[in-house]
Amino acid sequence: MSEFGRELAYKLYDSEGYNLEQELDDELKNYLITFADVFDLSYVSMHTVREVLEVIKTN
């Protein structure tokens, strides 16, 4: 666990040298792809999107 913490600290301290932004982009893409594979997008409509946006605005 300490090795992970040390590596993370290095990446945060020198984010450009460790390509942190690219690594975070890749992780986000993987997360979104996995989410899209699990979530049935056929149920999403403009009405659903509006409801979700309204919930986000009110909370």
Side-chain angles (χ1 to χ4, degrees), residues 7-22:
E7 183 179 340
L8 182 58
Y10 286 136
K11 288 180 180 184
L12 291 174
Y13 180 74
D14 184 15
S15 59
E16 289 180 22
Y18 285 93
N19 294 323
L20 181 61
E21 187 173 338
Q22 182 62 45

Side-chain angles (χ1 to χ4, degrees), residues 8 38 42 45-46:
L8 182 58
V38 172
S42 67
S45 67
M46 280 310 295

Side-chain angles (χ1 to χ4, degrees), residues 12-58:
L12 291 174
Y13 180 74
D14 184 15
S15 59
E16 289 180 22
Y18 285 93
N19 294 323
L20 181 61
E21 187 173 338
Q22 182 62 45
E23 193 173 318
L24 291 173
D25 283 347
D26 293 343
E27 284 299 317
L28 179 59
K29 287 175 190 171
N30 287 337
Y31 180 77
L32 291 174
I33 289 168
T34 302
F35 177 77
D37 285 344
V38 172
F39 187 69
D40 185 1
L41 296 175
S42 67
Y43 291 109
V44 176
S45 67
M46 280 310 295
H47 180 72
T48 309
V49 171
R50 286 189 197 110
E51 287 180 355
V52 170
L53 292 174
E54 187 61 36
V55 169
I56 291 171
K57 286 179 186 178
T58 58

